[in-house]
Amino acid sequence: MHMPKFVGMGSSQRHARLARHVLAGATSLLALSFVAPAHAQDAAPSTSQTQDEEIIVTGIRGSLQRNLDAKRNASGVIEQISSEDIGKFPDSNVAASLQRLPGISIQRDGPRGEPNGVTVRGFGGDFNETLVDGRRLSTATGGRSIDFSTVGSDFVGGLTVLKTPDVSLSSSSIGATINVSYPKPFDRPGFHLAVSASGSIQDDAGKVVPTGGVLISKTFADDSFGILANAIYTRHDTQTNNVFVHGWPGGRYAPCQLAGSTATSCNPTSDNKSAAWAQESNRQTVVGWFEQQFGATQNYTRDERVDGRIALQWKPADNVLLTLDDNYSEQRVNTDNFGFGIWFNQGSLRNVKLDKNGTTTDFTQAGSQTDFTAGTDSNLRRTNQTGLNVKWDATENLQVEADGSWSKSWLNPDGRINSKGADVGYGFGIGPSIGIAVNGDSKDVIPVLHDYGVNGTGSRWADLAAIGSHVTVNIANKNTDEIKQARFGLKWQQDDLTLRFGGSYLDDQFRFRSANTFANNFWQAYSGYGPASGTNGGVALPASLFKGTVSTTNFLPGYTGALPPVLLNFRAADYQAYLTGLGNPQTKTIPGYNTSCCNNAFNGQFAVADDVGSTRDIGEQTWALYVSANFKSEIAGMPFFFNAGVREEVTHVTSTGIGRLPTSITPSTTDPTLLTVNFGNQQAITTKSNYSYLLPSMDLKLELTDALHLRLDASRTLTRPTLNLLTPALNIGVGQRIGALTADGGNPTLQPYLADNFDAALEWYYQRNSYAAVNFFLKDVRNFIVQGVQRQSINGVVDPSTGTLAQFAVSQRVNGPKATVKGVELAWQNTFGNSGFGFIANATFVETNRPYDPSDISQSGFAVTGLANSANFVGFYDKNGIEFRAAANWRDKYLLQFGQAQNTGSFGAEPTFVNSSLQIDLSASYQITKAINIFGEALNITDEVQSTHGRFSNQLLDVFAYGRRFTAGVRYRF
């Protein structure tokens, strides 16, 4: 199936047209809702099941009613998504389902296009704690958030989003606590079998790939023992086109660099003691941002995941329930890419044009190198969680619960080289005077490279005869994250009073190791681009290494601008094999080998060496105690529910790293753009810190009428720093580039973010399966962790390219600013009587007293990240075995983070903004028989792209075109 690309139509035009269609449809549905009968549905459910006189309604409407009932009866503010049937979750991706809820938006993995994270009320993944059946799940990424693409959705029982905390569960999330619930055998006694099989195709990948799963559940011995097991295999293939500018560093130009300058010479300097300073036109005084690296790639990703689960339940007595379960997930993500990337230095730019904001909109750089790149990223992610839960109804009023679990995640446990890179090209003696023109906004215009090709001849852009070897990068990352946790709770319930008391313990141990060809400098072994470029470094490459070309025509849907005509298709593995085949340069003379790079250690093999600066061992132990009370009363005859609790958390952190200081910097003899940092002795560094916080919570609910409910909530919550930020050592890379010296430092004494939260909500449950709600929220947050980037010298080393003290851009995290976030959530769910039609509409509007100020060029610039207005609309039909759903999700522009792929500027951590997006998805199913259901799904039917920009909207950072995906399959249920 092929759908049009909307070539030539800008994103803003497409958004406007789509928005008009969506709003028109919404208006029509809203009008119908006022004339539809406002009474309970009397239609028969699409399917039903009777167990002990309990009716379990399946399908869209059954799921929505369960969600609504849970929201209505909760003491705090929650949202819920439940499965429509065994093996039938509303979306094929967990995060995609969550974005249908008010106040929740998603982030996507660029090359894969998969939703992999969520933002709740403007607070991103690390601010949201994700639990599995009430337990923390380990993640080897080093962050607090999990990648939701690693959570198989087929057999998820439900998702609960707690926007206000439950002190008996957790208070460790400023955004929300997300609890993923899996089915258990006693949920539906008897024998049940669910099987699903489907095939999907992404339009650009053009290959149908399978997904399948099976779930079996059975209870025995008068339902006193049960077992449930499931297994799922999922595969997605995705081809993605990407245009990028890796970093917009801020700095200062000299007037002689600007277009129209009449200076006879140009030697930009900031050293007021240098001879060049005497000429005013050489003084770097003009603020501007420039493109550090510009390029484009095509990526092909094969994403395979296996999920397995087994759950055992046993009732040795009527008042005792034991549950033992194990959840296993293994995901293999393999991405092959090829493209080009061209590096620029601010001091070497000439004929510079700046817009009113200081963005460089055009320039030339003489003698530029042109790099063609290829790479393979191959990562194995494995997670296993085992838990035991015991519930004992000790008396009629007292319930005791104990829970213990172990969870461990591995990144590349097989020790693989997870990233292989190749960089070839031409330059120096035949390097062109390249430039980049920026002609519009990042949402629909890409920069234009001009005067490219050998000696500036465009027809020789990809001249294989001119291309030689440059750098070779291999990386092997190996992480583990192990969590041991236990909790114990008592619950006393009598009449309208419920008391809870308990405690928990959690031990989280995170280990990060990285090895690469930077640590031993093997990456520079054959740098220099070869003899065609007039250097003594690098070797000529045979044309047989290249597998042809890929046209860049219509590379990005909806974007104007132009790229060079083709990308060269080649593989990093083939390139590395060719260089290895040249032999051992220690035993034979190989023209083009960089004899000064590797201390005679390079034997022709691109082996990796341990990067000691990246070593991190972080341990975190948290003890918690809680108590809460919940009672029901009346105020003026109206039912009144009150819940109050407090949780005390004490955390101990131990952090170990390896420190070392630079002693000198050596220039490359084959490539004057490359530098090698040399170090003194290394030393293990260990630090310890601790903190404790009292976290109160209170929820009030007043039922003004049976249908109209008023909620008031107040709480204090925290979010801990991500574990990978707690290293005590400064990490300085061995391999660096001229004009872009960097270092990264952790901070083991970081304190958690702390927030005081307030909610006020009015909910109207005006008919069955329908409600409307408005919820105002406010969060006062302090201890924000900010990343400062400061240019400074380290240990007095000299930069050989300038002859002065080397200036490193050092990134450091500290606690500091306060901020207030406030907003309103609007929600409306409506079904139209017995027609089978209905809709869900949500909108969230947020703001802060600390918005981003693009004019602030101080080192300490700060703003709240993740905040964006958002809206979603889902229209559905569910009747007579037919289900259809159309979903539109919109999110406005927002500040994603501070920091860019290259962040070497003078004005601190540069921002990354995500442009607004609107995605439309369709899904449908048909119940052929009671047991057999066929289904289909079409994602991103309008071919939306994901794009980001820097400080100003025309500073494009990334555009990913991840295409559409179509799925068709069948489910069997018995």
Side-chain angles (χ1 to χ4, degrees):
M1 181 175 181
H2 179 73
M3 300 190 74
K5 291 274 189 179
F6 297 98
V7 174
M9 180 183 292
S11 293
S12 58
Q13 293 172 297
R14 291 188 291 134
H15 289 172
R17 192 174 74 175
L18 288 169
R20 286 195 296 270
H21 290 321
V22 171
L23 291 175
T27 303
S28 300
L29 282 172
L30 299 185
L32 284 171
S33 70
F34 284 114
V35 299
H39 55 73
Q41 293 181 14
D42 53 8
S46 54
T47 58
S48 63
Q49 179 179 347
T50 302
Q51 293 292 344
D52 296 331
E53 299 182 355
E54 178 186 4
I55 304 298
I56 301 176
V57 181
T58 62
I60 294 175
R61 291 182 293 168
S63 171
L64 293 178
Q65 185 61 52
R66 287 191 293 276
N67 302 341
L68 185 150
D69 290 342
K71 180 179 180 70
R72 180 174 185 168
N73 295 327
S75 58
V77 179
I78 75 162
E79 310 289 347
Q80 181 170 293
I81 301 173
S82 60
S83 64
E84 296 172 5
D85 200 352
I86 291 180
K88 189 168 181 278
F89 204 66
D91 293 276
S92 58
N93 181 286
V94 171
S97 279
L98 287 170
Q99 72 173 331
R100 320 295 187 202
L101 299 174
I104 301 181
S105 303
I106 63 170
Q107 292 85 51
R108 293 184 181 275
D109 178 282
R112 291 186 292 155
E114 290 281 346
N116 64 344
V118 298
T119 293
V120 181
R121 294 177 167 181
F123 289 88
D126 288 333
F127 288 92
N128 304 306
E129 185 174 37
T130 299
L131 309 175
V132 173
D133 287 327
R135 302 162 181 154
R136 263 267 302 279
L137 186 67
S138 57
T139 171
T141 63
R144 297 286 179 184
S145 61
I146 69 168
D147 183 342
F148 279 94
S149 72
T150 66
V151 180
S153 68
D154 294 57
F155 299 125
V156 167
L159 300 171
T160 302
V161 181
L162 289 83
K163 295 179 178 176
T164 58
D166 178 348
V167 296
S168 66
L169 190 63
S170 173
S171 294
S172 300
S173 51
I174 289 177
T177 299
I178 301 169
N179 193 32
V180 181
S181 300
Y182 285 112
K184 299 172 184 64
F186 287 174
D187 292 347
R188 296 189 181 189
F191 175 76
H192 299 281
L193 171 67
V195 180
S196 65
S198 64
S200 68
I201 183 172
Q202 189 248 7
D203 50 1
D204 293 321
K207 181 185 294 185
V208 177
V209 294
T211 292
V214 59
L215 179 148
I216 301 175
S217 178
K218 181 75 169 69
T219 57
F220 309 88
D222 295 327
D223 296 335
S224 64
F225 180 79
I227 181 170
L228 181 149
N230 67 53
I232 312 165
Y233 170 79
T234 305
R235 176 174 168 184
H236 283 166
D237 282 21
T238 307
Q239 180 174 293
T240 304
N241 291 340
N242 171 220
V243 173
F244 64 83
V245 175
H246 280 171
W248 283 86
R252 288 178 168 84
Y253 289 105
C256 64
Q257 295 178 262
L258 304 183
S261 171
T262 58
T264 57
S265 65
C266 190
N267 299 290
T269 182
S270 59
D271 182 3
N272 60 10
K273 298 180 181 179
S274 67
W277 185 264
Q279 187 67 35
E280 190 171 345
S281 62
N282 291 331
R283 300 175 185 175
Q284 293 174 311
T285 57
V286 181
V287 171
W289 288 264
F290 75 102
E291 302 93 321
Q292 184 82 82
Q293 186 179 32
F294 173 71
T297 62
Q298 185 168 97
N299 309 272
Y300 191 98
T301 300
R302 175 171 171 160
D303 182 352
E304 292 183 284
R305 190 181 71 244
V306 175
D307 298 282
R309 182 170 183 271
I310 186 167
L312 305 174
Q313 288 190 299
W314 178 40
K315 284 187 174 180
D318 289 342
N319 63 338
V320 179
L321 172 63
L322 285 78
T323 303
L324 175 67
D325 58 32
D326 185 90
N327 302 315
Y328 177 84
S329 173
E330 183 169 289
Q331 184 181 36
R332 298 172 185 264
V333 181
N334 190 87
T335 300
D336 289 303
N337 64 79
F338 56 85
F340 74 89
I342 301 176
W343 184 269
F344 301 97
N345 288 309
Q346 189 167 24
S348 62
L349 306 187
R350 300 295 183 268
N351 303 310
V352 173
K353 295 180 181 179
L354 302 174
D355 68 9
K356 64 180 181 180
N357 293 320
T359 298
T360 301
T361 58
D362 206 348
F363 64 85
T364 57
Q365 177 176 273
S368 297
Q369 293 82 53
T370 298
D371 295 89
F372 296 95
T373 60
T376 296
D377 295 320
S378 178
N379 285 288
L380 170 62
R381 306 171 182 177
R382 181 180 296 158
T383 298
N384 194 69
Q385 184 182 63
T386 302
L388 174 65
N389 181 274
V390 180
K391 292 181 179 179
W392 173 39
D393 293 331
T395 70
E396 182 180 353
N397 304 109
L398 179 64
Q399 183 183 75
V400 181
E401 180 178 8
D403 188 277
S405 67
W406 168 88
S407 176
K408 189 168 184 178
S409 295
W410 298 261
L411 177 65
N412 303 321
D414 54 0
R416 66 178 61 193
I417 293 177
N418 62 282
S419 181
K420 294 184 177 181
D423 189 324
V424 305
Y426 53 83
F428 303 121
I430 57 175
S433 184
I434 288 181
I436 299 177
V438 175
N439 298 316
D441 197 279
S442 59
K443 68 179 183 296
D444 53 19
V445 178
I446 59 174
V448 176
L449 192 69
H450 57 76
D451 301 313
Y452 52 78
V454 176
N455 290 320
T457 304
S459 61
R460 300 187 65 189
W461 159 254
D463 185 350
L464 299 183
I467 293 176
S469 66
H470 193 39
V471 299
T472 307
V473 177
N474 285 339
I475 299 173
N477 292 328
K478 186 177 181 180
N479 303 354
T480 62
D481 182 30
E482 184 176 16
I483 294 178
K484 301 171 185 175
Q485 55 192 317
R487 70 175 189 267
F488 177 81
L490 301 174
K491 177 182 175 182
W492 174 272
Q493 188 170 10
Q494 186 172 11
D495 299 327
D496 293 328
L497 175 65
T498 302
L499 300 176
R500 290 183 175 89
F501 172 81
S504 65
Y505 170 74
L506 187 144
D507 181 7
D508 192 351
Q509 299 292 327
F510 175 71
R511 289 170 55 88
F512 177 88
R513 299 291 185 273
S514 182
N516 51 57
T517 53
F518 293 111
N520 51 24
N521 225 29
F522 287 6
W523 72 302
Q524 298 188 40
Y526 288 102
S527 61
Y529 300 114
S533 292
T535 73
N536 61 357
V539 298
L541 299 173
S544 59
L545 278 182
F546 302 94
K547 309 303 181 185
T549 61
V550 171
S551 172
T552 59
T553 303
N554 297 325
F555 200 67
L556 298 174
Y559 270 73
T560 60
L563 294 169
V566 296
L567 304 181
L568 281 177
N569 186 351
F570 68 109
R571 298 179 65 247
D574 295 340
Y575 166 74
Q576 292 192 18
Y578 175 78
L579 295 181
T580 297
L582 297 176
N584 183 351
Q586 310 306 325
T587 60
K588 62 183 291 190
T589 299
I590 303 176
Y593 170 65
N594 182 0
T595 56
S596 64
C597 81
C598 313
N599 297 322
N600 299 321
F602 181 73
N603 63 2
Q605 304 290 326
F606 290 94
V608 297
D610 290 339
D611 184 352
V612 297
S614 68
T615 298
R616 304 183 189 104
D617 289 311
I618 313 294
E620 184 181 83
Q621 294 83 37
T622 299
W623 297 86
L625 290 174
Y626 70 86
V627 61
S628 70
N630 188 314
F631 69 86
K632 177 183 177 182
S633 183
E634 286 189 355
I635 296 178
M638 296 177 292
F640 174 67
F641 301 84
F642 177 83
N643 180 65
V646 64
R647 184 180 181 94
E648 170 78 8
E649 294 198 354
V650 180
T651 300
H652 302 274
V653 179
T654 303
S655 176
T656 299
I658 298 177
R660 57 184 181 172
L661 290 175
T663 55
S664 64
I665 299 177
T666 306
S668 169
T669 59
T670 59
D671 185 340
T673 69
L674 303 181
L675 299 171
T676 299
V677 181
N678 307 299
F679 294 92
N681 295 332
Q682 60 191 50
Q683 180 180 1
I685 302 171
T686 299
T687 63
K688 295 184 178 182
S689 64
N690 59 79
Y691 52 82
S692 63
Y693 288 96
L694 192 67
L695 306 170
S697 176
M698 181 177 66
D699 306 298
L700 310 175
K701 184 176 74 167
L702 181 64
E703 295 186 359
L704 303 174
T705 69
D706 184 56
L708 192 63
H709 296 181
L710 173 67
R711 295 182 187 271
L712 298 173
D713 306 86
S715 64
R716 174 170 290 178
T717 55
L718 60 80
T719 289
R720 293 179 174 82
T722 56
L723 294 172
N724 61 341
L725 299 182
L726 300 177
T727 177
L730 182 68
N731 183 20
I732 305 171
V734 174
Q736 305 261 2
R737 301 195 72 157
I738 285 178
L741 294 172
T742 61
D744 184 73
N747 184 348
T749 63
L750 287 173
Q751 295 291 298
Y753 305 82
L754 196 65
D756 293 324
N757 316 289
F758 305 93
D759 279 74
L762 191 63
E763 302 164 352
W764 180 32
Y765 301 91
Y766 58 90
Q767 67 176 27
R768 180 172 175 79
N769 223 331
S770 300
Y771 84 103
V774 56
N775 188 359
F776 298 92
F777 63 88
L778 183 145
K779 295 176 179 288
D780 278 323
V781 187
R782 59 181 180 271
N783 290 347
F784 266 98
I785 297 171
V786 294
Q787 176 185 347
V789 179
Q790 184 172 350
R791 296 184 65 83
Q792 65 184 69
S793 61
I794 300 176
N795 206 33
V797 296
V798 174
D799 184 344
S801 67
T802 64
T804 61
L805 286 177
Q807 296 296 309
F808 291 83
V810 180
S811 298
Q812 198 85 26
R813 278 85 175 177
V814 296
N815 291 108
K818 301 178 181 179
T820 298
V821 174
K822 58 184 177 181
V824 58
E825 296 170 345
L826 306 175
W828 190 0
Q829 176 178 310
N830 187 81
T831 53
F832 297 96
N834 193 33
S835 68
F837 287 99
F839 70 84
I840 307 167
N842 299 304
T844 302
F845 304 94
V846 293
E847 63 179 34
T848 178
N849 65 335
R850 296 297 299 269
Y852 182 73
D853 179 5
S855 66
D856 182 359
I857 60 173
S858 68
Q859 291 286 339
S860 57
F862 166 73
V864 178
T865 61
L867 295 184
N869 297 332
S870 61
N872 60 76
F873 182 86
V874 179
F876 63 86
Y877 176 81
D878 176 15
K879 193 175 182 181
N880 300 323
I882 299 173
E883 293 183 10
F884 176 81
R885 185 189 339 244
N889 283 85
W890 170 80
R891 188 178 187 181
D892 205 356
K893 181 182 80 170
Y894 65 96
L895 175 61
L896 174 66
Q897 64 187 27
F898 284 93
Q900 300 174 359
Q902 301 287 345
N903 203 126
T904 58
S906 301
F907 309 138
E910 289 292 325
T912 295
F913 285 91
V914 180
N915 285 318
S916 63
S917 63
L918 173 65
Q919 177 161 324
I920 298 179
D921 305 323
L922 303 176
S923 62
S925 68
Y926 178 64
Q927 198 75 33
I928 298 177
T929 68
K930 184 178 181 181
I932 300 174
N933 176 281
I934 58 174
F935 63 91
E937 185 179 60
L939 303 180
N940 192 28
I941 62 172
T942 56
D943 212 5
E944 179 73 3
V945 302
Q946 174 183 311
S947 63
T948 60
H949 68 78
R951 185 177 292 251
F952 302 105
S953 63
N954 60 345
Q955 294 182 355
L956 181 141
L957 290 173
D958 270 300
V959 185
F960 288 99
Y962 50 86
R964 311 174 182 90
R965 190 179 305 280
F966 305 94
T967 302
V970 59
R971 295 187 185 94
Y972 173 80
R973 180 179 68 86
F974 176 77

